[in-house]
Amino acid sequence: MNKFWPCFFMFWPVLAIVVFAISPSMGWWFPTEAFSPLGKQIDNLFYMILIIVGITFIGTHIGLGYVLWKAVDNKEPKAWFSHGSHNLEMLWSIAPAGILMFISLYQLDVWTRYRVQSKYPKDMLTVAEVTARQFEWRIRYPAPGKKLLPSPQPDDLYTVNDLHVPVNRRVLIRLKSGDVQHSFFVPGLRVKQDAVPGTVIPVWFETLEIGDYDLTCAELCGWGHYKMRGRVLAERQSDYDKYIKSLAHDQGYDGHNSDRDGSAELVKIEKATDKK
Amino acid sequence: MRPKVHLLKLLVAAIVLSPFGCTSKRGPEFASGKQTGLLVSAAQELVRSELKSSFGTPTSLVAWQVLPVDYGVFEGKATKFNGQDLVVSLKGIGSNAADRRLSNLSGSVVTNEAGVAIGEVTHYSPSDGAMRLSNTGEAKIESDTTVRVIGDGLQFGRDLYLRHCMHCHGVSGDGDGPTAKYFAVKPRDYRRGTFKFTSTVQGVRASRDDLKRIIKLGIPGTYMPSFMLLPDDEIVSLVEYIRWLSMRGEVENSLYIELSNDFSTEANKDKARAEFKKEVDNFAASQLPGKMSEIGRDLAETWSASEDEANLLLPKDARGNVDGDSIKRGRELFLNKDVGCFSCHGESGRGNGVSTETFNKLPNSTELSKVPGLFDDWGNLVKPRDLTTGIYRGGRRPLDIYRRIRAGIKGTPMQGFSRLEDQQVWDLTNYVLSIPFKAHSESKH
Ligand SMILES: [Cu+2]
């Protein structure tokens, strides 16, 4: 019974090592890998932090277990009083401070690219304005061949919950809110940005593969929060152009077009041409 | 030590009671409409039992074959039937779409070759075609005859409706679900069979495609969100269920109209209860069956009309060029006294026309409203659309605006303008679509 506590505390670091060892092959990490370059960098930051806390956790617990194990047969009636030891205090203040300082400096580069507008990539395509509202994503594209302007234009194209972007291209959306605070969250691309009423926030990302990526709201915005399901569909540039053209055709539809085939009567949801 | 004991007791009580929860265990139920409550109790009972036998309950739906609803049908050959267990080979199964449908089979009705209901499916195994039936009666199925299994589509629609729509639109489609009370713009009450935004001509109901479009795109400017990403078969089933709920509401209303003359509480304050019972029973025995088939026939006719290609509203003339001249002509029409758009929408299109401040006749009534403004058929105070916002509830395509002007917004004071020439409607459309940009540039200067 004396050995119970040392064994108990030793069990956890051993379990941690086992989990660390098998999780890469079991896929026990994020639900999907990141499908954007910045997302991969963000994942690397998470991995780095995981390694640091993993080593710390295993190290401290093995230390704790070792001390307890030694103490089982310790007949010494008096304990060693370490409180107030200047050296020890210095050690466990400076070591974590150093680690935190390292993390904060190490992530600066990614953070800047992701969030600091003056450091955004220069060659970006502004695809659309996305307005979050209870409980959907309203999307405004510019007309084919035109630039997105801050205020609505007569030939703008509108859709909802279905954001198309060209693949392998840095794209920017202008994120707004129509009512309360929402959050534009695309887990597969590691994009998450709050939509704040009264502001227009530029959000950029780049998709590495053709496919559809779930878009959800990550800010509890009311009773219908769960209804805010959308998707980001990354497609070939040519398919994207075709999509914008079909939107333009639908939006200009006057019911009298000679090519009336009924297709313009109903909104069609196209499937991604290649699944990721 | 005392408080601790109490805490412990409380904790134990909480753990023991938690599986029971606080809410009632009753399943979803179709609520009666307000008008039904105006009848004497015997007549109320009659309406309820009639609705139950024609439409069932949310947990046990009835497919009334007279109605133009696609309930979902599987056809098959019966090979064995012993009064409860049926062996049947259903046609068309094996595909993904059909297999998906099979998961909604339980609860469907099985009919024999003559169309007589045999029982309800409680279990079906696709591998050997064994089907177990409940609520079976005397009727027989001969071997090697055709059987039909009816209702998987409606049940699928019901499940989806309860998940996605019920909390606003209510179990019975009365627009009074638990979340409805938070809205300034009321969720649609389907029970009149009226839907505002349609592609059909004046006086005709919404088509399936109209409902589909609204479900997919939502209604901007209201709480109706977009269900763009629901798979097509789910939207199709939802549309059928919503149409069916509408028809159910209309049957209730028709029965009320039928019964209100003789059996309203208002008119019969001093009659004895027992008398009603007899008279109502009399009515039920002699007139009701004929009345119900008449109601069913009428419904079939009106709802089928909305699917008729001839009732689809399409302009004869194309929109033509959108230029300053057209917009100017549209503006003149907008301000024209005989057309009268401005009287509701206001001279600058802000939705503040003079009729929002006067006492108007209530719809389907000769009475004036008690508060100034315009009312729709559901009795809600409605604001004429502010055309400067650039939000178009029924869609923003030129065709959508054309249809709003030509056929009106059904169930609202926005009436259709059938007298205008096509080109005039297009001029108005072009003007309406230009208002947000004009207002914008005006506010800048
Ligand atoms: Cu939200």
Side-chain angles (χ1 to χ4, degrees):
Chain A
M1 196 56 207
N2 284 340
K3 299 251 158 66
F4 174 77
W5 289 113
C7 291
F8 178 81
F9 283 106
M10 284 302 248
F11 170 73
W12 301 108
V14 172
L15 182 69
I17 291 168
V18 172
V19 170
F20 274 125
I22 63 172
S23 53
S25 59
M26 303 293 278
W28 287 351
W29 183 226
F30 286 125
T32 65
E33 61 175 295
F35 289 94
S36 68
L38 200 58
K40 287 191 191 302
Q41 289 179 310
I42 291 172
D43 281 7
N44 287 339
L45 288 178
F46 276 116
Y47 279 123
M48 191 200 65
I49 292 172
L50 184 70
I51 289 167
I52 293 171
V53 297
I55 290 171
T56 311
F57 178 81
I58 292 165
T60 51
H61 268 71
I62 287 177
L64 178 61
Y66 172 77
V67 169
L68 288 174
W69 185 270
K70 293 290 281 183
V72 169
D73 297 325
N74 191 351
K75 298 285 185 285
E76 191 71 41
K78 224 174 157 187
W80 173 54
F81 188 68
S82 65
H83 186 73
S85 159
H86 186 75
N87 286 343
L88 279 176
E89 294 286 347
M90 288 292 280
L91 180 70
W92 57 56
S93 301
I94 290 173
I99 292 171
L100 288 178
M101 185 63 93
F102 167 73
I103 293 173
S104 67
L105 291 175
Y106 188 82
Q107 58 81 45
L108 263 181
D109 177 46
V110 175
W111 178 259
T112 312
R113 276 164 57 78
Y114 189 22
R115 287 288 154 87
V116 179
Q117 282 178 43
S118 56
K119 303 285 184 214
Y120 278 7
K122 292 283 171 283
D123 53 342
M124 278 196 301
L125 173 73
T126 306
V127 279
E129 176 186 273
V130 176
T131 306
R133 69 181 287 265
Q134 290 174 321
F135 297 99
E136 59 194 5
W137 306 94
R138 292 259 158 208
I139 298 162
R140 177 170 71 91
Y141 296 100
K146 290 205 179 168
K147 279 211 166 111
L148 185 79
L149 294 176
S151 64
Q153 299 302 307
D155 55 0
D156 279 340
L157 308 171
Y158 293 82
T159 180
V160 57
N161 287 357
D162 190 22
L163 179 65
H164 289 231
V165 297
V167 72
N168 286 325
R169 191 145 175 210
R170 289 164 182 164
V171 295
L172 184 107
I173 58 155
R174 300 164 56 82
L175 185 62
K176 289 167 76 171
S177 167
D179 35 48
V180 299
Q181 195 166 329
H182 300 269
S183 186
F184 180 91
F185 182 29
V186 189
L189 303 176
R190 310 289 188 261
V191 173
K192 190 193 257 181
Q193 171 62 55
D194 281 6
V196 183
T199 60
V200 182
I201 301 173
V203 183
W204 78 274
F205 53 86
E206 177 181 355
T207 47
L208 286 172
E209 275 176 42
I210 290 170
D212 43 18
Y213 304 94
D214 288 335
L215 160 63
T216 63
C217 179
E219 184 68 59
L220 183 58
C221 56
W223 58 267
H225 171 57
Y226 68 98
K227 278 188 193 286
M228 293 188 69
R229 177 182 162 218
R231 70 164 183 185
V232 174
L233 181 69
E235 51 192 1
R236 279 187 206 94
Q237 182 73 44
S238 57
D239 290 335
Y240 172 76
D241 293 340
K242 229 199 279 170
Y243 171 73
I244 294 293
K245 274 217 188 83
S246 77
L247 269 188
H249 177 266
D250 179 61
Q251 210 115 288
Y253 186 56
D254 70 354
H256 197 268
N257 299 355
S258 50
D259 57 350
R260 182 180 165 256
D261 56 356
S263 65
E265 283 285 307
L266 265 184
V267 195
K268 274 200 197 143
I269 298 284
E270 290 141 54
K271 283 270 161 297
T273 33
D274 294 337
K275 275 297 278 178
K276 61 176 180 247
Chain B
M1 281 315 270
R2 280 241 134 149
K4 241 187 196 166
V5 177
H6 281 293
L7 269 180
L8 198 70
K9 271 185 193 164
L10 214 64
L11 193 72
V12 170
I15 291 168
V16 170
L17 291 176
S18 61
F20 300 99
C22 307
T23 49
S24 73
K25 274 252 188 287
R26 280 185 306 138
E29 271 172 35
F30 289 134
S32 287
K34 272 205 194 92
Q35 349 77 308
T36 302
L38 301 175
L39 299 172
V40 296
S41 57
Q44 284 187 24
E45 265 325 299
L46 181 67
V47 172
R48 272 186 215 117
S49 72
E50 199 53 40
L51 283 173
K52 196 172 170 191
S53 70
S54 302
F55 293 90
T57 63
T59 43
S60 170
L61 306 173
V62 173
W64 189 13
Q65 291 295 308
V66 178
L67 303 178
V69 175
D70 183 2
Y71 294 112
V73 180
F74 276 106
E75 239 174 49
K77 273 259 177 307
T79 49
K80 239 201 295 181
F81 183 56
N82 68 1
Q84 194 181 38
D85 290 298
L86 172 70
V87 181
V88 61
S89 61
L90 296 180
K91 268 187 222 157
I93 64 170
S95 70
N96 276 342
D99 288 351
R100 199 169 136 120
R101 285 180 56 193
L102 286 178
S103 59
N104 308 303
L105 213 58
S106 147
S108 297
V109 174
V110 180
T111 62
N112 66 12
E113 204 155 37
V116 179
I118 304 299
E120 258 171 49
V121 182
T122 54
H123 180 79
Y124 171 68
S125 104
S127 54
D128 53 1
M131 192 179 270
R132 169 149 287 219
L133 304 184
S134 67
N135 290 337
T136 47
E138 296 291 288
K140 295 262 172 337
I141 300 177
E142 305 295 328
S143 304
D144 264 346
T145 56
T146 309
V147 291
R148 283 147 61 87
V149 185
I150 302 167
D152 69 282
L154 193 69
Q155 302 192 95
F156 190 34
R158 184 259 329 266
D159 294 349
L160 293 162
Y161 181 87
L162 291 178
R163 190 182 314 152
H164 297 300
C165 323
M166 183 276 279
H167 58 80
C168 292
H169 290 286
V171 176
S172 51
D174 54 8
D176 198 20
T179 46
K181 58 172 173 285
Y182 303 115
F183 305 157
V185 183
K186 289 287 157 217
R188 181 66 43 251
D189 172 359
Y190 308 137
R191 295 171 306 170
R192 298 175 156 272
T194 309
F195 293 89
K196 285 186 174 175
F197 309 107
T198 73
S199 60
T200 51
V201 295
Q202 243 174 328
V204 176
R205 298 282 164 86
S207 68
R208 288 184 167 98
D209 280 355
D210 290 335
L211 299 180
K212 218 170 156 181
R213 196 175 165 84
I214 291 286
I215 291 174
K216 278 198 172 179
L217 293 181
I219 305 181
T222 75
Y223 269 107
M224 172 72 190
S226 152
F227 293 90
M228 180 75 109
L229 299 178
L230 283 190
D232 226 39
D233 63 332
E234 297 195 5
I235 293 184
V236 166
S237 298
L238 268 175
V239 165
E240 287 309 306
Y241 188 73
I242 289 164
R243 291 170 77 252
W244 180 81
L245 268 187
S246 301
M247 295 179 206
R248 185 187 171 279
E250 286 181 87
V251 169
E252 183 175 15
N253 196 40
S254 304
L255 284 174
Y256 165 74
I257 290 168
E258 199 52 48
L259 292 164
S260 60
N261 271 342
D262 298 335
F263 304 113
S264 75
T265 4
E266 194 58 28
N268 295 289
K269 273 181 186 140
D270 32 51
K271 242 181 174 181
R273 260 164 192 279
E275 273 177 71
F276 290 127
K277 183 85 187 89
K278 239 171 103 193
E279 283 172 29
V280 169
D281 283 350
N282 234 335
F283 175 87
S286 61
Q287 293 177 48
L288 189 63
K291 210 69 235 171
M292 279 301 282
S293 53
E294 194 181 300
I295 293 171
R297 261 202 317 275
D298 285 353
L299 278 177
E301 207 172 284
T302 42
W303 281 96
S304 305
S306 62
E307 303 301 323
D308 190 345
E309 184 77 10
N311 287 326
L312 184 66
L313 178 59
L314 288 170
K316 278 187 231 56
D317 297 341
R319 186 186 183 195
N321 276 345
V322 185
D323 49 22
D325 286 345
S326 167
I327 290 173
K328 204 166 147 246
R329 287 196 300 273
R331 166 90 183 142
E332 276 158 15
L333 281 165
F334 193 85
L335 295 176
N336 183 304
K337 254 219 276 280
D338 294 331
V339 184
C341 308
F342 68 95
S343 63
C344 295
H345 291 285
E347 278 171 36
S348 53
R350 291 196 178 274
N352 55 355
V354 65
S355 26
T356 58
E357 283 159 22
T358 55
F359 294 89
N360 303 292
K361 260 192 204 132
L362 288 169
N364 313 319
S365 150
T366 49
E367 270 175 67
L368 288 185
S369 61
K370 292 199 175 57
V371 284
L374 294 153
F375 287 82
D376 62 15
D377 284 3
W378 295 269
N380 299 323
L381 182 70
V382 285
K383 284 203 193 105
R385 192 65 46 245
D386 179 347
L387 300 170
T388 63
T389 58
I391 296 172
Y392 305 97
R393 293 191 179 172
R396 60 183 314 128
R397 300 174 305 171
L399 178 64
D400 295 322
I401 311 292
Y402 175 96
R403 282 170 173 164
R404 295 301 90 77
I405 297 172
R406 185 58 105 190
I409 298 175
K410 315 259 160 97
T412 75
M414 172 73 192
Q415 296 300 321
F417 293 89
S418 47
R419 285 169 298 118
L420 296 176
E421 297 293 318
D422 251 17
Q423 203 46 58
Q424 289 180 304
V425 178
W426 281 129
D427 289 342
L428 267 173
T429 302
N430 294 340
Y431 171 63
V432 164
L433 284 170
S434 78
I435 293 176
F437 304 102
K438 194 162 163 290
H440 188 73
S441 59
E442 266 172 6
S443 66
K444 256 195 207 156
H445 298 309

